[in-house]
Amino acid sequence: MASRRRSKLGSSTKKKKTRKNKQSRKEKEKDQTFIDLPSDLLQLVISRLPLKDNIRASAVCKTWHEACVSLRVVHTSPWLIYFSKTDDSYELYDPSMQKTYNLHFPELSGFRVCYSKDGWLLMYNANSYQLLFFNPFTRDHIPVPPLWMAYDQRMAFSCAPTSTSCLLFTVSSVTWNYITIKKCCANAKEWKTFVFKNRLQRNFNTFEQIVFSNGVFYCLTNTGCLPLFDPSLNSWNVLPGRPPKRPGSNGCFMTEHQGEIFLIYMYRHMNPTVLKLDLTSFEWAERKTLGGLTIYASALCSESRAEQQKQSGIRNCLCLSVFHGFKRTCIYYKVDEESEICFKWKKQNPYENIWIMPPLNLIDLPVFDQRI
């Protein structure tokens, strides 16, 4: 009998303890806040915050501060700017956060974009022949000496116009015998002209891409010829050989990363081909991977970034602007994984959009407080 009583007492005390433990757990769960999130869940939440919200969240507590700082991305990815055909409205799209900003720049009425680099746009007015550098994040602008440009004429610049080494470049005229080059410093009052003998193939039509790298301007023609203009020597040379271009190409993008030149040919009924220029032999070689790079491609110029450290895993990708339904957005094509579905590319108006690098102090600019 005594043993039975002891067992009943023991079981009742155990039940009381379990009840107390359950009650204490429920009370603790009631008292829990976002500060008590597990570290892996906290990092997942913070990794999805834009830079502005990341900085705000870092002020919550010490744990959040450490998590925010460890995940804070200082070197942001490029943004895409869309240009309206009818008015002075513009859209800035941040693909990393999938957010769009509506802006109005009446001072750019009648202008079209020519190039983008280091957070600056080069704009051209076909009516007045006026050229200017424009920063859409600060609305600063720097005038450039006027110059007549054909509709399909390409122009590029070497670095931000706030730098004393900034140089503008364009191929202004191509005849059967001669090629006319023009260059201009950002603070100059007139353009300098250079005339060279035309050594391009006779089936040449237009220049499609211009990229500044290694101190020279690489100029790609629609037939695959690649002349170089060295502004320090004022020399013009055509490299031997042409990139392997498959039939049916309907566009191309060229960019550079740390001195390496990449070329992507697009097709309507097949996947893109990626080529890299050997700077020793000056021959193009096809590549199956971008080596961790992500290339943000647009018709007038493209940006490249090393994205190996990003948790999103967006690397070895070609990022392109597309229309999805009635919405402008971006798609990522994985270069190192052949897609089973054919990647179909539709050529776009080159002046509709362009990639641009946002400034690091973007959070201090009130113009971007409004999102849609």
Side-chain angles (χ1 to χ4, degrees), residues 81-118:
I81 182 168
Y82 295 94
F83 303 91
S84 173
K85 296 180 180 179
T86 57
D87 53 23
D88 56 5
S89 63
Y90 299 82
E91 287 185 13
L92 269 171
Y93 178 69
D94 179 4
S96 62
M97 294 297 162
Q98 298 182 354
K99 293 182 179 178
T100 302
Y101 303 81
N102 274 343
L103 304 172
H104 290 274
F105 300 126
E107 60 268 42
L108 295 183
S109 178
F111 282 81
R112 71 168 185 253
V113 67
C114 297
Y115 204 73
S116 170
K117 197 176 184 68
D118 296 342

Side-chain angles (χ1 to χ4, degrees), residues 2 7 10 16 65 70 108 116-117 125 220 261 273 308 327 338 358:
S7 62
K16 289 180 181 179
H65 177 79
S70 65
L108 295 183
S116 170
K117 197 176 184 68
N125 190 314
L220 182 73
I261 306 297
T273 56
Q308 298 97 324
K327 184 180 180 182
E338 286 289 343

Side-chain angles (χ1 to χ4, degrees), residues 177-325:
N177 296 315
Y178 299 100
I179 290 181
T180 303
I181 303 296
K182 289 184 180 290
K183 74 172 187 179
C184 177
C185 296
N187 57 353
K189 295 183 178 181
E190 61 181 11
W191 290 81
K192 293 183 178 180
T193 304
F194 304 90
V195 180
F196 301 95
K197 188 174 181 180
N198 189 353
R199 301 183 183 277
L200 297 175
Q201 296 181 354
R202 294 306 180 187
N203 59 348
F204 157 79
N205 188 15
T206 57
F207 285 93
E208 289 194 331
Q209 300 285 318
I210 300 178
V211 170
F212 181 80
S213 181
N214 305 311
V216 300
F217 288 95
Y218 294 79
C219 310
L220 182 73
T221 71
N222 62 318
T223 58
C225 294
L226 189 66
L228 306 182
F229 177 73
D230 188 336
S232 63
L233 302 175
N234 296 323
S235 62
W236 175 262
N237 296 293
V238 181
L239 296 183
R242 289 189 295 175
K245 181 180 178 181
R246 299 172 186 173
S249 174
N250 64 346
C252 68
F253 308 106
M254 190 167 70
T255 187
E256 70 91 28
H257 183 77
Q258 297 181 354
E260 303 287 348
I261 306 297
F262 293 88
L263 175 61
I264 302 99
Y265 276 117
M266 307 299 296
Y267 302 88
R268 181 179 291 273
H269 300 295
M270 61 186 296
N271 289 328
T273 56
V274 179
L275 306 166
K276 181 182 176 183
L277 181 65
D278 188 324
L279 297 178
T280 303
S281 62
F282 294 110
E283 294 181 354
W284 294 96
E286 188 170 348
R287 294 174 60 92
K288 297 297 183 182
T289 177
L290 291 175
L293 294 180
T294 294
I295 294 179
Y296 299 84
S298 56
L300 298 177
C301 67
S302 303
E303 295 278 354
S304 61
R305 290 292 177 270
E307 310 281 23
Q308 298 97 324
Q309 303 301 323
K310 289 200 172 183
Q311 294 189 354
S312 60
I314 301 174
R315 54 184 180 269
N316 289 319
C317 285
L318 182 64
C319 185
L320 298 160
S321 169
V322 296
F323 277 95
H324 185 69

